[in-house]
Amino acid sequence: MAETLDWRGSRQDAASRASAATGRDVIGSGISMRNVVKKYGAFVAADRINLDIEPGEFITLLGPSGSGKTTLLNLLAGFQTIDGGEILIDGKSIAHVPTHRRGFGMVFQSYALFPNMTVAQNVAFPLRMAGVDRATSDRRVAETLEMMRLSEHARKTPSEMSGGQQQRVAIARAIVMRPKVVLMDEPLSALDRRLRESIQIEIRELHQTIGSTILFVTHDQSEALTMSDRIAVMDKGHIIQMARPVEIYRHPQSRFVASFVGESNLIEAEILENRGGKMRLRSRAGYVFEAESRNGAASGAATVLVRPERIALHDQPSANTVAATVTSALFMGETLRIEAVMEGGETLLIRCPDTAARNLPEIGTRIHVSWNAQDCWVLA
Amino acid sequence: MSDTSISAPPATAKGGRGFWRNPALLLLPATLFLAVIYVLPLIDLGRVSMTGEPWWAHFARVFSVPLYWESLIRTMKIALTVACLCAVFGYPTALLIQRSRGIMQVLIATTVILPYFIAILIRTYAWMVLLGRNGPINKFAIWLGIYDQPLALLFNRGTVLLGMTAVLMPLMVLTIYSSLSRLDPSLTRAALASGAGPLAVFWRVLLPLTLPGIGAGFLLVFVSALGFFITPTLLGGPADQMFAMHITQQADSITGEGFLQALAVVLLLITLGVVAVAGRMMGFEFIWGGGKLSDTTEAPTKTRNRAAGQGRRSLGMMVADLIGWPLLRLLGRMPAAVGAWTVRGIGVLIICTLILPILVVIVISFSEASYLTFPPPGWSLKWYEKFFSDSNWMTAFWNSLGIAALSATIAVTLGASAAMGIVRSEIRYKSALMLLLVSPMIVPPVVLGLSLYSLFLQMGLVGTYFGLAAAHAIGGIPIVVVIVAASLQAVDRKLEQGAAVHGASPLTVFRTVTLPAIAPGLAAAVFFAFLHSFDELVLSLFLSSPRMKTLPLMLWADINYQLNPVLAVVSTLEVLLVVGGIILARPVLSRSRGGH
């Protein structure tokens, strides 16, 4: 207990340093998971998960529902007991530390604001629990509310506020202690798109300011791409790939990641020739094309990813183009979304910017498409 | 025929049908029924109570004769103690139900729900068996060597408090549980993640948020206890007379008319006063444990409640800040398991208190001995034989069955249509009407019985099948209204609108969408209305004749005359009936709190 208090005390110093400093001051903890297993009866929610998170990193756990991302968060928070393996915070196992002594901050999808307390009291809650004296507590609450632009709402109760405001209060409550780790469980999924985007940016900036390690759970791939330092893509209790957003988007390591993150054309092909990454492939439909990719075997079958926005549209055929017939064309605002069937029967999804030069093609129109060899990514 | 002559008649016909289609009309039968058989007799009761000279003479006597006002004070004290005991022990039990999972949760919940539906008379009888001279508690204590002669455990204040607390405990537990289960579970997690220990979570989050539930449970128990009659009569001594008992005793010995009614009016006014104050503070919904009704007249009340709530909240916060925080930090140093084990300990204690008496009675019904002793010296079915071959018992049994069936029919017909009217109509004063419909739940049965007695005398209904069934239906209607209204509110209006948009007539919509959705609720309502009548004793005491015996009346007479195992047989059969009903009604019970 005494140890915990000392530790909290030192954390407050770090916090005041962080708020005083103009630059980024990392106070977050490193998190490591070693062979973490969690089962619900026969269902394995987390299957020997290994994960290393650097201090101060913003990590997103991305995956479809039931992939185990919320389970990992709950294990980290201590809401559920671990069935195997261990979780280390700054190198120390937290197996025997109960939730309320872990000193994390947490934001919930349902906000989970205490309806019997005002905004200020909600935000002060973690401070009071840590035994911070009244004056310090008041000052810190005021600072945090100021930071979240909530100062004028301090005396309101949660039920008097909009969803977006409530979630900002929940975030304020989670960061008021300047915790080493902040857990966010799909915090934005109850909000409408515009609000979601503005709070995404806010959370991102907040992360820069306070320097905590943030673990963010979402099933929204665009949210993950915008916010994270690194993304861990999860499926069926496994981490499939963990990398920077650009890497995840451009160079996915599996079909699952390629199709879950962003839109994709996955072309089944055979490698005819591979000279140090410069390949010639033949699609199942018989179309031969070139690709430059550091991934991929010397020969044999391969799946080639071409992102829809990398495909160019031409009115006239030329040497590098393939003919296709438009089967669907939608105006999406900033882009046109076109589906076309290539000769040989493969369907391509194409995204091209909406420009004055191009009108939405009519269904049945014959078009010519092309892509650069560098825009292909060969999946192993 | 011109176009206009064709279109005109349907227009008028439609106007006429429109009136008859107003769902508010569905409220009419139940309202009329209650007005005649419930409101008018109570008004008449008030009139008779004021026939003294001057008009307040009878009331003056109530408050000047020490026997009565001392009993009034005693009644208040007992009711308050029982309500406090129920709250203190009921909260951990409700928490235990909420925290357990799977089959454990079902088991624990059943041990609370089961006694809730067993007749008070039978549960009190079980305590008499348990605490009797040769009962298991005396036997066990002697076996342990705590004392060597059986003690007289019965007929004192302690047993009255124990018995009443045990009888009313399920009401408290279920009320608190329903408010606990409505909480967002991530609130607890948020508090834990914010560094609050289990104790702090309870003190700062669970307790403040379930305070309305505790308040509702406290008031329901308090109000029920105020009018309690059966348990204190059977378990109490001469020094434990409760107010309701005077009314029945006076009814036996005919004293001056008017004074008796004055006693009843005093009890009724105190009850209504408590309910009115509580209702103003937290909304009258606490009576039926339901959500708010959509009602235009309710909006101002709601905002005012909130404003008042805020004031109280900040005051509570200040108190909590002053003493709560230092205390919490001190107690927070205890191992976290202490709280969990306290909850478990109290929960298990309460569950034993609720279920053990019933188990003992079931065991004793198979006893060979002709007196009550535990454990039984030998086993036999002779008391079952005796019950099924005794023409008195069998007549009473068939009477009860017939009356209960008739009463359930009346209650469900009137109550279900009234529930439809309440949920589906757009009338004003909906809350007031709902309050009228459920108010029989809170009127002490003794008062109701006395007020009906003179009406039934005039109409020649005393000791008749129909009379008893109608009287029992007064208490059956609120049960039906609460259950059916809850099931109706759970029906997605979009489903009905969907059916209507696709061409179903209102009747077809009701038959194909609404009725299947509320069918389990209706079934439960039928069962509980039946059970209410089957178990009813107090009204029957007033309204029955010596030739018209029901099962509870026979039990009552026998308990007062001699305690024998036939009573245990009847109790066992009742337990079987309730268990069967609960199994049938489980899907509904999990959704609403059910009737009481």
Side-chain angles (χ1 to χ4, degrees):
Chain A
M1 189 68 200
E3 196 183 41
T4 320
L5 282 174
D6 288 349
W7 171 70
R8 278 187 191 280
S10 65
R11 196 153 51 120
Q12 282 160 36
D13 296 341
S16 45
R17 266 188 280 117
S19 53
T22 44
R24 190 168 172 224
D25 191 353
V26 173
I27 59 164
S29 298
I31 303 171
S32 298
M33 296 197 180
R34 296 274 171 266
N35 289 316
V36 167
V37 176
K38 176 69 192 175
K39 294 176 187 159
Y40 300 107
F43 178 71
V44 184
D47 190 1
R48 281 161 291 150
I49 298 279
N50 282 293
L51 185 70
D52 281 294
I53 298 171
E54 298 294 317
E57 247 189 324
F58 193 124
I59 297 291
T60 299
L61 300 178
L62 174 68
S65 55
S67 58
K69 51 196 195 306
T70 297
T71 300
L72 280 194
L73 208 66
N74 285 343
L75 290 175
L76 202 54
F79 298 145
Q80 283 159 350
T81 50
I82 198 165
D83 290 331
E86 58 177 350
I87 299 175
L88 309 170
I89 302 293
D90 288 335
K92 283 185 214 124
S93 169
I94 53 166
H96 300 292
V97 184
T99 298
H100 63 284
R101 304 256 166 83
R102 291 192 182 183
F104 296 168
M106 185 153 184
V107 183
F108 297 81
Q109 183 180 354
S110 62
Y111 318 137
L113 294 177
F114 306 121
N116 54 325
M117 302 179 195
T118 62
V119 166
Q121 284 166 336
N122 262 288
V123 176
F125 190 85
L127 297 165
R128 310 304 314 269
M129 287 299 150
V132 173
D133 68 86
R134 195 57 188 258
T136 319
S137 162
D138 286 349
R139 183 172 50 77
R140 292 276 292 279
V141 169
E143 276 171 19
T144 311
L145 288 178
E146 174 80 46
M147 200 164 157
M148 296 304 298
R149 291 181 285 111
L150 286 164
S151 301
E152 70 269 36
H153 303 298
R155 297 182 60 82
K156 286 187 183 167
T157 55
S159 57
E160 291 166 311
M161 307 178 79
S162 70
Q165 289 172 328
Q166 288 190 47
Q167 197 54 293
R168 294 225 303 279
V169 177
I171 294 169
R173 183 178 64 186
I175 60 162
V176 69
M177 288 293 289
R178 300 294 185 271
K180 298 188 168 197
V181 177
V182 179
L183 309 174
M184 299 192 171
D185 188 5
E186 308 212 12
L188 307 179
S189 57
L191 304 175
D192 66 67
R193 195 174 68 95
R194 201 169 284 276
L195 205 54
R196 202 159 61 216
E197 282 167 3
S198 82
I199 298 188
Q200 277 173 16
I201 296 165
E202 225 168 314
I203 292 178
R204 186 71 209 166
E205 286 169 0
L206 202 66
H207 174 243
Q208 298 296 325
T209 324
I210 63 171
S212 301
T213 306
I214 294 185
L215 210 64
F216 188 99
V217 163
T218 184
H219 59 260
D220 180 337
Q221 43 101 8
S222 74
E223 199 164 280
L225 291 171
T226 334
M227 301 182 73
S228 333
D229 290 329
R230 284 193 295 159
I231 298 172
V233 183
M234 294 192 68
D235 185 37
K236 294 175 185 150
H238 295 274
I239 292 179
I240 309 287
Q241 186 177 359
M242 186 162 171
R244 290 182 305 119
V246 174
E247 189 69 10
I248 291 273
Y249 187 78
R250 290 189 184 161
H251 303 139
Q253 293 300 319
S254 66
R255 281 188 77 100
F256 176 79
V257 176
S259 53
F260 191 75
V261 181
E263 292 174 319
S264 54
N265 292 298
L266 293 169
I267 302 168
E268 300 299 332
E270 191 194 344
I271 302 174
L272 300 174
E273 187 185 325
N274 186 351
R275 282 191 204 149
K278 289 191 190 263
M279 302 184 217
R280 256 160 45 81
L281 301 102
R282 182 169 59 216
S283 80
R284 203 169 277 176
Y287 167 63
V288 176
F289 60 100
E290 291 183 347
E292 276 180 37
S293 167
R294 60 184 152 84
N295 224 12
S299 63
T303 303
V304 181
L305 166 71
V306 185
R307 293 290 182 191
E309 68 277 11
R310 302 287 185 89
I311 298 176
L313 229 56
H314 311 275
D315 297 327
Q316 298 300 321
S318 65
N320 288 321
T321 60
V322 194
T325 311
V326 175
T327 55
S328 143
L330 298 170
F331 177 68
M332 310 286 291
E334 66 269 77
T335 59
L336 306 179
R337 184 187 187 279
I338 298 164
E339 278 180 38
V341 181
M342 290 196 292
E343 284 167 350
E346 276 161 341
T347 303
L348 276 187
L349 177 66
I350 304 150
R351 286 253 187 199
C352 53
D354 176 48
T355 55
R358 189 183 305 283
N359 288 322
L360 202 59
E362 285 187 22
I363 290 171
T365 315
R366 219 170 149 69
I367 51 170
H368 304 275
V369 298
S370 71
W371 58 81
N372 290 327
Q374 294 93 324
D375 290 329
C376 295
W377 173 250
V378 179
L379 293 173
Chain B
M1 243 197 241
S2 71
D3 278 343
T4 44
S5 68
I6 294 172
S7 59
T12 48
K14 202 177 176 188
R17 274 215 312 276
F19 174 75
W20 290 110
R21 275 190 184 171
N22 189 343
L25 282 177
L26 289 167
L27 283 161
L28 217 54
T31 315
L32 281 179
F33 176 81
L34 286 181
V36 170
I37 204 172
Y38 165 66
V39 179
L40 280 182
L42 284 180
I43 293 172
D44 193 55
L45 186 81
R47 184 189 62 79
V48 175
S49 74
M50 291 187 279
T51 50
E53 197 55 53
W55 68 266
W56 41 264
H58 296 309
F59 293 97
R61 202 175 139 209
V62 175
F63 291 102
S64 60
V65 177
L67 175 70
Y68 299 116
W69 63 260
E70 275 173 11
S71 154
L72 193 61
I73 303 292
R74 190 185 308 127
T75 302
M76 302 279 241
K77 271 193 201 157
I78 291 178
L80 207 61
T81 317
V82 167
C84 289
L85 285 172
C86 280
V88 169
F89 289 100
Y91 200 93
T93 314
L95 264 181
L96 189 67
I97 299 179
Q98 196 223 5
R99 297 213 173 142
S100 46
R101 289 282 166 269
I103 188 77
M104 265 319 273
Q105 187 176 38
V106 174
L107 275 177
I108 299 174
T110 310
T111 55
V112 175
I113 292 169
L114 181 68
Y116 185 47
F117 294 116
I118 293 174
I120 294 174
L121 179 60
I122 283 171
R123 296 171 59 207
T124 308
Y125 163 73
W127 277 103
M128 295 176 80
V129 173
L130 206 65
L131 297 170
R133 189 159 278 273
N134 291 313
I137 294 199
N138 261 326
K139 289 279 181 68
F140 191 62
I142 290 170
W143 181 78
L144 281 179
I146 299 173
Y147 44 78
D148 41 56
Q149 285 299 311
L151 293 183
L153 299 172
L154 280 170
F155 314 128
N156 55 54
R157 182 66 58 87
T159 34
V160 173
L161 292 178
L162 175 66
M164 285 178 68
T165 307
V167 165
L168 290 168
M169 183 63 80
L171 182 58
M172 179 66 92
V173 174
L174 294 177
T175 312
I176 294 176
Y177 174 72
S178 83
S179 86
L180 270 176
S181 61
R182 276 199 286 264
L183 282 187
D184 178 359
S186 55
L187 284 177
T188 312
R189 293 181 160 194
L192 281 170
S194 303
L199 204 72
V201 173
F202 170 74
W203 183 252
R204 298 314 307 247
V205 180
L206 285 185
L207 195 61
L209 291 178
T210 50
L211 218 49
I214 300 173
F218 188 91
L219 277 153
L220 288 172
V221 168
F222 180 73
V223 165
S224 311
L226 274 183
F228 244 50
F229 161 69
I230 299 169
T231 310
T233 308
L234 294 179
L235 295 180
D240 309 309
Q241 289 252 325
M242 287 185 72
F243 203 66
M245 292 160 67
H246 292 294
I247 298 174
T248 48
Q249 282 156 7
Q250 296 287 329
D252 289 345
S253 60
I254 307 294
T255 45
E257 202 192 44
F259 176 63
L260 197 55
Q261 280 75 8
L263 284 175
V265 167
V266 169
L267 184 58
L268 179 64
L269 287 181
I270 291 173
T271 307
L272 292 183
V274 171
V275 171
V277 170
R280 294 281 290 186
M281 269 165 56
M282 56 194 199
F284 285 97
E285 289 83 5
F286 83 88
I287 301 170
W288 60 89
K292 304 238 182 231
L293 294 163
S294 55
D295 187 350
T296 40
T297 57
E298 209 178 43
T301 341
K302 228 151 100 187
T303 40
R304 198 203 48 228
N305 279 349
R306 259 204 30 211
Q310 258 172 31
R312 212 171 46 232
R313 216 180 286 140
S314 50
L315 192 74
M317 277 286 174
M318 269 165 60
V319 175
D321 279 353
L322 273 176
I323 52 167
W325 290 111
L327 201 69
L328 269 186
R329 275 198 285 281
L330 209 68
L331 291 175
R333 286 165 196 259
M334 290 192 311
V338 170
W341 282 104
T342 312
V343 166
R344 256 172 248 173
I346 294 180
V348 169
L349 177 78
I350 293 306
I351 286 161
C352 290
T353 316
L354 288 175
I355 209 75
L356 268 186
I358 296 168
L359 292 181
V360 166
V361 165
I362 292 178
V363 170
I364 277 192
S365 74
F366 296 101
S367 169
E368 195 184 55
S370 54
Y371 57 98
L372 289 179
T373 181
F374 193 94
W379 306 100
S380 87
L381 285 173
K382 65 178 180 184
W383 301 108
Y384 285 84
E385 264 176 61
K386 188 160 193 292
F387 172 76
F388 284 107
S389 59
D390 186 324
S391 67
N392 281 332
W393 278 111
M394 286 322 283
T395 316
F397 176 71
W398 288 113
N399 280 344
S400 278
L401 218 57
I403 291 169
L406 186 58
S407 175
T409 312
I410 300 173
V412 170
T413 315
L414 298 179
S417 60
M420 275 301 274
I422 282 281
V423 176
R424 288 299 152 82
S425 68
E426 309 282 327
I427 50 167
R428 300 180 62 197
Y429 309 118
K430 220 187 230 185
S431 309
L433 262 173
M434 183 70 177
L435 206 54
L436 170 74
L437 288 171
V438 300
S439 64
M441 278 179 172
I442 51 161
V443 173
V446 174
V447 175
L448 211 53
L450 183 66
S451 74
L452 279 173
Y453 183 62
S454 61
L455 178 81
F456 274 33
L457 266 186
Q458 287 165 25
M459 296 170 67
L461 283 172
V462 170
T464 62
Y465 248 70
F466 179 75
L468 281 175
H472 293 168
I474 298 173
I477 286 175
I479 298 174
V480 176
V481 169
V482 168
I483 297 179
V484 176
S487 339
L488 269 173
Q489 274 169 332
V491 177
D492 188 356
R493 277 315 280 275
K494 296 259 161 37
L495 287 179
E496 297 183 342
Q497 289 164 349
V501 163
H502 295 109
S505 71
L507 209 64
T508 315
V509 170
F510 181 77
R511 195 167 44 79
T512 55
V513 179
T514 319
L515 198 58
I518 64 167
L522 267 181
V526 171
F527 177 72
F528 291 123
F530 177 89
L531 204 63
H532 171 78
S533 168
F534 195 75
D535 291 343
E536 218 300 317
L537 170 66
V538 180
L539 288 183
S540 309
L541 276 175
F542 281 93
L543 304 175
S544 191
S545 64
R547 271 170 294 129
M548 183 66 174
K549 286 283 186 205
T550 63
L551 212 50
L553 283 171
M554 284 283 285
L555 278 171
W556 177 251
D558 254 34
I559 290 176
N560 282 313
Y561 171 62
Q562 54 157 9
L563 281 171
N564 66 50
V566 177
L567 302 172
V569 169
V570 181
S571 307
T572 307
L573 294 177
E574 154 112 5
V575 172
L576 281 180
L577 178 74
V578 173
V579 169
I582 288 182
I583 290 170
L584 284 177
R586 253 196 57 196
V588 191
L589 286 176
S590 56
R591 260 190 281 130
S592 73
R593 201 182 66 198
H596 48 263

